[in-house]
Amino acid sequence: RIAPNRPSPFREGEIMRVVLTGASGQLGAYLLDRLAEEDHEVIAWSGSSTGGRGSIPFSTVDLADPAALQSALEAARPRAILHAAAISRADVVLREPDRAARINVEATRILAHWCAKHSARLIYTSSDLVFSGSRPWWREDDPTEPVMRYGVTKRGAEPFVTGCPEGLVVGLSLMYGSSRAGQPTCHDLILEALSRGRPQSLFTDEFRTPLPYAAAADALVRLLDSSFRGVVHLGGSERLSRYQMTLRA
C-alpha cells in the first residue's frame, strides 16, 4: 500500500522542526539520538517523564487530552511529526480500553488532521500485530485482522495517517536491543532472570522478524524526507521465535 512515487516536498538534508512523540520510550530514546545526528530541531514529547536526553528536554504532553494536544501542536508548529507514542502493553490496553483508544487512535487522528491542514510530514509507527498471525509472511496490501486489542487500536489509527497527504504508516516488527530509556526492555528482563538462574517460559511456536531498535530508528529518520506515503513494513531479515532470539543473546 504505497502511493505512487513522486518528488518529496522535503529536501534531502533539510533541517526540520520535528515533533517526536513517545520520546521517553525505548524506541524514542534511539530516535532522539538518531535525530540529533541529523541536526534537526527536535521537540520531544513525553506523556509523563520529565528531564530529557542529552541536550533535548522533554515536554510533557497528555495525548489523551485533545485540547492539550491541539495546544501543543499550535505551539510547536512542526514541519514533521514522528509519532512513536502508544499504550503498547497488551495488559494495559485490556485494563484501560478507553484511555488506550484516546491515545492510540484519537490522538493519531488529531495529529493526522493537523498535518494535513499544515502540509506537514507524518510518520506513524504501527505494528505487525495488526495481522492475525495465521500465516508466515504479510505484505503491505494484505488485509489486516488483529486478534489482540492492542493491534485493533493500531489498525484503527492507520486510515487517518494514510488519508494524510504526507502520511506514512510504518509497520514495525518486534524490536530488541539494550535500553537507552532508563528502564529495562522485556528482552533485558528475560536475560537478567536467566543470568540469576530463574527459568523463563518462551514461545517456540510464535515467530516474528525481530528488528534492532537502532535499525528501526535509522530507517524511520531516513523516511522523514522520503517520498513514501501509504504503508510500508519494516522488519528484520530472519524469522525467529522468542526462544530462538534468547538463545542467540
Side-chain angles (χ1 to χ4, degrees):
R1 287 180 286 163
I2 303 174
N5 193 38
R6 61 177 174 78
S8 170
F10 307 98
R11 298 187 303 275
E12 184 176 354
E14 175 185 0
I15 295 176
M16 293 186 286
R17 177 178 294 172
V18 179
V19 160
L20 171 64
T21 73
S24 59
Q26 300 291 359
L27 176 59
Y30 280 83
L31 284 168
L32 278 178
D33 291 346
R34 185 64 182 82
L35 285 166
E37 294 175 2
E38 297 293 317
D39 295 323
H40 291 309
E41 179 185 352
V42 182
I43 300 171
W45 287 0
S46 171
S48 58
S49 297
T50 58
R53 181 165 180 81
S55 62
I56 303 174
F58 291 152
S59 298
T60 303
V61 178
D62 183 2
L63 298 185
D65 183 340
L69 178 53
Q70 289 281 9
S71 178
L73 283 168
E74 292 302 322
R77 308 289 293 186
R79 180 76 164 126
I81 298 175
L82 240 174
H83 184 26
I87 296 180
S88 57
R89 281 182 49 183
D91 59 329
V92 177
V93 173
L94 286 173
R95 190 169 62 246
E96 303 178 43
D98 292 340
R99 183 167 175 265
R102 289 197 303 272
I103 291 177
N104 292 5
V105 183
E106 179 61 13
T108 306
R109 183 193 68 79
I110 293 171
L111 292 172
H113 178 76
W114 193 93
C115 286
K117 182 179 179 181
H118 295 88
S119 300
R121 180 66 153 151
L122 176 60
I123 305 290
Y124 169 66
T125 58
S126 190
S127 168
D128 57 356
L129 294 176
V130 301
F131 296 106
S132 66
S134 60
R135 56 189 179 83
W137 303 101
W138 298 90
R139 297 172 58 88
E140 284 85 351
D141 55 359
D142 286 331
T144 53
E145 301 173 291
V147 295
M148 295 178 63
R149 186 65 194 172
Y150 168 66
V152 171
T153 65
K154 299 302 280 186
R155 180 184 66 175
E158 287 189 0
F160 300 122
V161 181
T162 56
C164 177
E166 297 301 334
L168 177 65
V169 172
V170 183
L172 297 171
S173 186
L174 177 69
M175 291 176 286
Y176 68 94
S178 299
S179 175
R180 296 182 183 178
Q183 64 262 5
T185 66
C186 291
H187 200 57
D188 291 333
L189 292 173
I190 290 170
L191 294 179
E192 181 184 0
L194 290 172
S195 71
R196 296 176 181 274
R198 297 199 298 269
Q200 300 292 294
S201 297
L202 300 168
F203 286 110
T204 60
D205 58 353
E206 178 204 64
F207 295 90
R208 311 283 284 276
T209 51
L211 179 70
Y213 282 113
D218 181 65
L220 288 164
V221 171
R222 287 173 181 268
L223 286 167
L224 273 176
D225 60 2
S226 76
S227 61
F228 288 113
R229 295 168 293 140
V231 179
V232 297
H233 289 170
L234 183 60
S237 60
E238 294 184 276
R239 179 175 177 266
L240 300 170
S241 68
R242 287 190 183 259
Y243 175 72
Q244 290 172 321
M245 286 180 62
T246 306
L247 288 180
R248 293 190 179 190

